[in-house]
Amino acid sequence: MTSHLKKVELHCHLEGAAPPELTLAQARKYNIDISAYLKDGAYVWHDFASFLECYDKISEVYKTAEDYALLTETYLAELADIGTIYSELIVSPDHGKRIGLGADAYIEGVCEGIRRAKAVSGIEARLIVTGERHFGPESVIGAAEYAAKAGNPLITGFNLAGEERMGRVADYARAFDIARDAGFGLTIHAGEVCGAFSVADALDAVRPARIGHGVRAIEDADLIKRLADLGTVLEVCPGSNIALKVFPDFQSHPVRALKQAGVRVTISSDDPPFFHTSLEREYELASDVFGFSDAEIDEMTRTGIEAAFVDEATRQALFARL
Ligand SMILES: [Zn+2]
């Protein structure tokens, strides 16, 4: 049981966290038929293409700034209920534009949800703006420029997500220069779909403080040592990795081997209901399946606070709540 442990989450995509019950209520509100994508309280997909299609369909029921406030507030309340004190949500201003809401209204809705959740439970949350590799370097630079100009104190990080097989990290380095100059913490999705080289690529071109996933670093002993020496933090999402078949089963998942090799690891849920998981389940897996002791799990949570994209006063306040 891990219900008594405080929790921190560094890697969760906001739309990917949409609780099925809320999605159903939203679909009814807008009279949108999502019965092919949501059955018996669970999202339905069977391969990567249908996962993306399902993800898009589910996102369609969140349209207004108030919808995003409600989504954010609902997910953060769910986290707070299981003892979570800090959450970083990955958001895409481009998504706001694509659905016709506009980037500003989308971000404002999410921030309103953060304020409401904090007022109820005290949970702290920050936003990581992400660019999507498959929309190309110009689009990722646009996302970085948007985040830099926003001057929003809740936006504290910049990420690169999307199709890992598109281009090299160096193609996106300009976007990370903009984000670094704006004072954002940097993290990059790598070592999930692609092998260890993609993690090395991220370190070579940008050297972010954190890597999203990074688990396939396990394929390269030199890279494991490099990550340990640099102190790079991996945002590990075991349930996601198994759902997307990055590893065949939990027994072959390398989170314990990476930690034992001195790599700093944290536990997150990625797109929880899509992968039939939750942060609560990820902590349970850490305990029951990977056999981490409560002390080891607390150490990963501490690592999460050390690596959180927050000001020092907030970081100390989070440590005090552990
Ligand atoms: Zn992710």
Side-chain angles (χ1 to χ4, degrees), residues 273-284:
F274 286 89
F275 300 143
H276 312 297
T277 192
S278 61
L279 186 62
E280 184 177 35
R281 175 166 176 263
E282 298 296 327
Y283 268 71
E284 287 291 317

Side-chain angles (χ1 to χ4, degrees), residues 97-108:
K97 281 185 216 161
R98 276 198 301 278
I99 62 172
L101 171 60
D104 290 346
Y106 166 81
I107 294 290
E108 191 36 56

Side-chain angles (χ1 to χ4, degrees), residues 214-261:
V215 281
R216 288 186 63 187
I218 199 68
E219 297 162 9
D220 180 341
D222 290 340
L223 178 62
I224 294 173
K225 186 170 184 316
R226 187 177 176 196
L227 287 168
D229 289 348
L230 285 171
T232 310
V233 170
L234 302 188
E235 305 154 7
V236 180
C237 312
S240 159
N241 295 156
I242 301 310
L244 290 177
K245 301 188 167 64
V246 177
F247 302 100
D249 50 41
F250 286 112
Q251 282 63 43
S252 32
H253 194 282
V255 62
R256 174 169 274 285
L258 288 164
K259 189 170 189 318
Q260 271 165 355

Side-chain angles (χ1 to χ4, degrees), residues 273-316:
F274 286 89
F275 300 143
H276 312 297
T277 192
S278 61
L279 186 62
E280 184 177 35
R281 175 166 176 263
E282 298 296 327
Y283 268 71
E284 287 291 317
L285 288 169
S287 171
D288 299 348
V289 175
F290 297 115
F292 289 116
S293 67
D294 283 4
E296 286 174 314
I297 294 173
D298 275 342
E299 195 188 325
M300 291 191 276
T301 303
R302 289 190 77 81
T303 299
I305 296 176
E306 284 161 12
F309 297 150
V310 288
D311 58 89
E312 288 314 306
T314 304
R315 196 185 319 282
Q316 292 314 318

Side-chain angles (χ1 to χ4, degrees), residues 5 43 82 100 132:
L5 300 178
Y43 296 133
I82 59 155
E132 307 276 350

Side-chain angles (χ1 to χ4, degrees), residues 12-322:
C12 181
H13 300 260
L14 177 64
E15 290 80 12
E21 252 177 62
L22 180 62
T23 296
L24 200 57
Q26 290 284 121
R28 287 200 187 109
K29 182 170 92 176
Y30 289 119
N31 206 11
I32 298 172
D33 179 12
I34 52 163
S35 56
Y37 305 97
L38 176 53
K39 279 185 189 130
D40 302 325
Y43 296 133
V44 181
W45 56 276
H46 55 273
D47 59 14
F48 196 66
S50 68
F51 160 66
L52 293 178
E53 185 186 325
C54 177
Y55 197 101
D56 277 350
K57 284 289 167 192
I58 296 314
S59 299
E60 275 177 21
V61 308
Y62 298 93
K63 294 180 180 298
T64 66
E66 176 54 32
D67 291 344
Y68 278 93
L70 187 60
L71 167 55
T72 306
E73 182 186 9
T74 305
Y75 181 62
L76 292 177
E78 182 184 307
L79 285 186
D81 274 351
I82 59 155
T84 310
I85 58 172
Y86 181 70
S87 150
E88 283 179 14
L89 297 169
I90 301 168
V91 293
S92 165
D94 283 342
H95 176 76
K97 281 185 216 161
R98 276 198 301 278
I99 62 172
L101 171 60
D104 290 346
Y106 166 81
I107 294 290
E108 191 36 56
V110 176
C111 289
E112 174 60 20
I114 290 177
R115 286 189 289 270
R116 288 183 199 164
K118 184 176 175 176
V120 173
S121 67
I123 188 169
E124 282 286 351
R126 296 292 184 275
L127 300 179
I128 300 180
V129 164
T130 193
E132 307 276 350
R133 285 171 89 122
H134 48 270
F135 292 132
E138 284 310 311
S139 138
V140 176
I141 288 171
E145 284 176 337
Y146 175 83
K149 283 187 194 137
N152 183 329
L154 293 177
I155 299 176
T156 57
F158 189 72
N159 201 333
L160 183 62
E163 176 51 79
E164 244 179 74
R165 289 164 288 197
M166 281 282 290
R168 302 294 297 266
V169 175
D171 303 337
Y172 303 88
R174 170 88 191 109
F176 282 94
D177 287 341
I178 294 166
R180 190 185 285 108
D181 287 349
F184 296 138
L186 307 181
T187 176
I188 295 179
H189 280 68
E192 178 194 17
V193 178
C194 293
F197 82 89
S198 67
V199 177
D201 199 28
L203 295 178
D204 290 343
V206 174
R207 200 199 275 193
R210 299 180 354 207
I211 297 276
H213 300 290
V215 281
R216 288 186 63 187
I218 199 68
E219 297 162 9
D220 180 341
D222 290 340
L223 178 62
I224 294 173
K225 186 170 184 316
R226 187 177 176 196
L227 287 168
D229 289 348
L230 285 171
T232 310
V233 170
L234 302 188
E235 305 154 7
V236 180
C237 312
S240 159
N241 295 156
I242 301 310
L244 290 177
K245 301 188 167 64
V246 177
F247 302 100
D249 50 41
F250 286 112
Q251 282 63 43
S252 32
H253 194 282
V255 62
R256 174 169 274 285
L258 288 164
K259 189 170 189 318
Q260 271 165 355
V263 179
R264 300 169 76 203
V265 298
T266 59
I267 297 288
S268 291
S269 69
D270 206 9
D271 300 293
F274 286 89
F275 300 143
H276 312 297
T277 192
S278 61
L279 186 62
E280 184 177 35
R281 175 166 176 263
E282 298 296 327
Y283 268 71
E284 287 291 317
L285 288 169
S287 171
D288 299 348
V289 175
F290 297 115
F292 289 116
S293 67
D294 283 4
E296 286 174 314
I297 294 173
D298 275 342
E299 195 188 325
M300 291 191 276
T301 303
R302 289 190 77 81
T303 299
I305 296 176
E306 284 161 12
F309 297 150
V310 288
D311 58 89
E312 288 314 306
T314 304
R315 196 185 319 282
Q316 292 314 318
L318 290 170
F319 276 130
R321 289 182 66 186
L322 268 193

